[in-house]
Amino acid sequence: MELLKERIRKEGRVKAGNVLKVDSFLNHQMDIELFNEMGKEFKRLFADKPINKILTIEASGIGIACIAAQYFNVPVVFAKKAESINLDGESYVTKIESFTKKRQYDIIVSKKYLSPADHILIIDDFLANGCAVAGLIDIVESAGGTIEGVGIAIEKGFQCGGTLIRTKGVKVESLAIIESMDDVNGTIQFA
Amino acid sequence: MELLKERIRKEGRVKAGNVLKVDSFLNHQMDIELFNEMGKEFKRLFADKPINKILTIEASGIGIACIAAQYFNVPVVFAKKAESINLDGESYVTKIESFTKKRQYDIIVSKKYLSPADHILIIDDFLANGCAVAGLIDIVESAGGTIEGVGIAIEKGFQCGGTLIRTKGVKVESLAIIESMDDVNGTIQFA
């Protein structure tokens, strides 16, 4: 999606350790007009899928998912993160590892909001090592739901997440795929 | 706002310790159609204010804020929560205490996304003891910005948050104000 790539070129800052800061428009300050264009594009890419719910994860996936949901006319569920929880049997839980935060945590969705009748589109801001998305897929599968696809704003194509998820047979559509980036001279190459 | 009150009557569950669960439509599963009606109502209530940015806090304020932002044509900034952070001079930070989680944490906004030129509408899902909103006001004031108002989905009128914030001279508009609720028989009375 050219509009998103342009924005990344203009405002993205590459930091050491393969970190891309896009907090001026994507995940701290949020450009809602851009999110609407992204939502329309997700709808175009998944137009043939019988999606009845969008699943995302707190916090930075929520804004993108909510705006996109307007084009699908569906509700959004967001998975919650917790350092550790007491299992009460009322939630689906899986363990994931954060790429940026270098720590493990549980992600949780109430059993009330996922069922075998659900056809889920997963939406998130970044796909890097794929842990968050793999965790969300795991939760949908635990509920007996169907994964209709994964919509990502920015995929780091040089990390393994995209391959990991596509190898499962899941349709992944990333609006911008970064092939390489360099924190010394600040360059970003798209795939 | 009658539509929201109806939904609370129908789906809200009162739990011990003055906890109101509305996770079927507000803060775990999110009804985006309802959020749009709430967004329109916030616009009506703050139509005379020169708002150029909406500020909220992760995680459950983000969806409401993003949908509402479409009616104001402004970006959203969300404050991040952290157990404790190393101050780097690049962020506004304040300490708040969570009512539901009974613990203290820091909330953080990058200095890049708040300035003296900003006219801020704060949006959040709940107003109870007012700590989160007071923390957000504190951050906007640190940046030299102007608070144009606070828009809340559900205010617990029997807790002190509403009085605390209104006493500061800030316009607070809550779409539903709960006067009392009872976890034994599950009743909810609106103001």
Side-chain angles (χ1 to χ4, degrees):
Chain A
M1 186 189 176
E2 202 46 45
L3 191 67
L4 178 60
K5 288 184 199 169
E6 268 172 35
R7 200 62 180 271
I8 296 168
R9 273 188 210 105
K10 204 175 140 200
E11 298 182 29
R13 286 165 299 132
V14 184
K15 301 279 181 181
N18 279 332
V19 173
L20 175 64
K21 297 278 276 183
V22 284
D23 56 7
S24 64
F25 61 94
L26 197 75
N27 51 18
H28 185 18
Q29 183 164 254
M30 297 180 286
D31 180 335
I32 306 302
E33 216 169 307
L34 175 67
F35 282 20
N36 267 293
E37 294 307 316
M38 290 163 55
K40 281 179 212 168
E41 184 64 7
F42 284 133
K43 176 63 190 175
R44 195 184 66 78
L45 292 164
F46 294 101
D48 58 330
K49 301 285 190 181
I51 291 157
N52 75 324
K53 196 170 278 183
I54 290 175
L55 178 65
T56 186
I57 182 164
E58 66 174 347
S60 36
I62 296 174
I64 304 166
C66 285
I67 299 294
Q70 297 174 310
Y71 298 94
F72 293 87
N73 293 308
V74 298
V76 175
V77 172
F78 69 88
K80 301 186 180 198
K81 293 175 185 172
E83 292 279 332
S84 70
I85 63 150
N86 296 320
L87 275 172
D88 55 7
E90 291 177 6
S91 300
Y92 300 110
V93 183
T94 194
K95 208 169 275 304
I96 69 169
E97 188 154 350
S98 163
F99 170 72
T100 31
K101 294 185 182 164
K102 314 279 182 213
R103 62 181 176 80
Q104 276 205 337
Y105 48 85
D106 289 321
I107 63 170
I108 306 149
V109 176
S110 167
K111 287 187 177 177
K112 287 200 282 285
Y113 308 125
L114 282 178
S115 83
D118 281 325
H119 290 257
I120 301 289
L121 173 63
I122 292 171
I123 283 189
D124 206 1
D125 58 340
F126 270 97
L127 178 62
N129 64 18
C131 277
V133 170
L136 293 173
I137 290 173
D138 187 44
I139 278 179
V140 174
E141 287 176 345
S142 301
T146 305
I147 308 281
E148 294 293 347
V150 175
I152 298 291
I154 304 175
E155 177 177 341
K156 290 175 174 169
F158 52 88
Q159 284 183 254
C160 62
T163 304
L164 177 79
I165 307 301
R166 289 180 182 101
T167 302
K168 292 175 190 280
V170 174
K171 175 174 170 162
V172 180
E173 295 284 358
S174 300
L175 304 184
I177 301 179
I178 294 170
E179 195 172 83
S180 66
M181 56 188 203
D182 180 343
D183 64 295
V184 178
N185 54 30
T187 51
I188 299 168
Q189 294 290 331
F190 293 99
Chain B
M1 186 189 174
E2 202 46 46
L3 189 68
L4 179 60
K5 288 183 198 168
E6 268 173 34
R7 200 61 181 273
I8 296 167
R9 275 188 208 104
K10 203 175 141 200
E11 298 182 27
R13 287 166 299 132
V14 184
K15 301 278 180 181
N18 279 332
V19 172
L20 176 64
K21 297 277 277 183
V22 285
D23 56 6
S24 63
F25 60 93
L26 197 75
N27 51 17
H28 185 18
Q29 184 164 253
M30 298 180 285
D31 181 335
I32 305 302
E33 217 170 307
L34 174 67
F35 283 18
N36 267 293
E37 294 307 316
M38 291 163 55
K40 280 179 211 168
E41 183 64 5
F42 283 132
K43 176 64 190 174
R44 194 184 66 79
L45 293 164
F46 295 100
D48 59 330
K49 301 286 190 181
I51 291 157
N52 75 324
K53 197 170 277 183
I54 291 177
L55 178 65
T56 187
I57 182 166
E58 65 174 350
S60 34
I62 297 174
I64 303 166
C66 285
I67 298 295
Q70 296 174 312
Y71 298 94
F72 293 87
N73 293 310
V74 299
V76 175
V77 172
F78 69 88
K80 301 186 179 197
K81 294 175 184 170
E83 293 278 331
S84 71
I85 62 148
N86 295 319
L87 276 172
D88 54 7
E90 291 178 7
S91 301
Y92 299 111
V93 182
T94 194
K95 208 169 274 304
I96 69 170
E97 188 153 350
S98 163
F99 170 73
T100 31
K101 295 187 181 163
K102 314 279 182 214
R103 60 180 177 82
Q104 277 206 335
Y105 48 84
D106 290 321
I107 63 170
I108 306 150
V109 175
S110 168
K111 287 189 177 174
K112 287 200 283 283
Y113 309 125
L114 283 177
S115 83
D118 282 324
H119 290 256
I120 302 289
L121 173 63
I122 291 172
I123 284 188
D124 207 1
D125 58 340
F126 270 98
L127 179 61
N129 63 18
C131 277
V133 170
L136 293 173
I137 289 174
D138 187 43
I139 279 179
V140 174
E141 287 175 345
S142 301
T146 305
I147 307 281
E148 294 292 349
V150 175
I152 298 290
I154 304 176
E155 178 178 340
K156 290 174 173 170
F158 53 86
Q159 285 184 252
C160 62
T163 304
L164 177 79
I165 307 300
R166 289 181 182 99
T167 302
K168 291 175 190 280
V170 173
K171 174 174 172 163
V172 179
E173 294 284 359
S174 301
L175 303 184
I177 302 180
I178 294 171
E179 195 170 84
S180 66
M181 56 187 203
D182 180 344
D183 65 294
V184 178
N185 53 31
T187 51
I188 298 168
Q189 294 290 332
F190 293 99

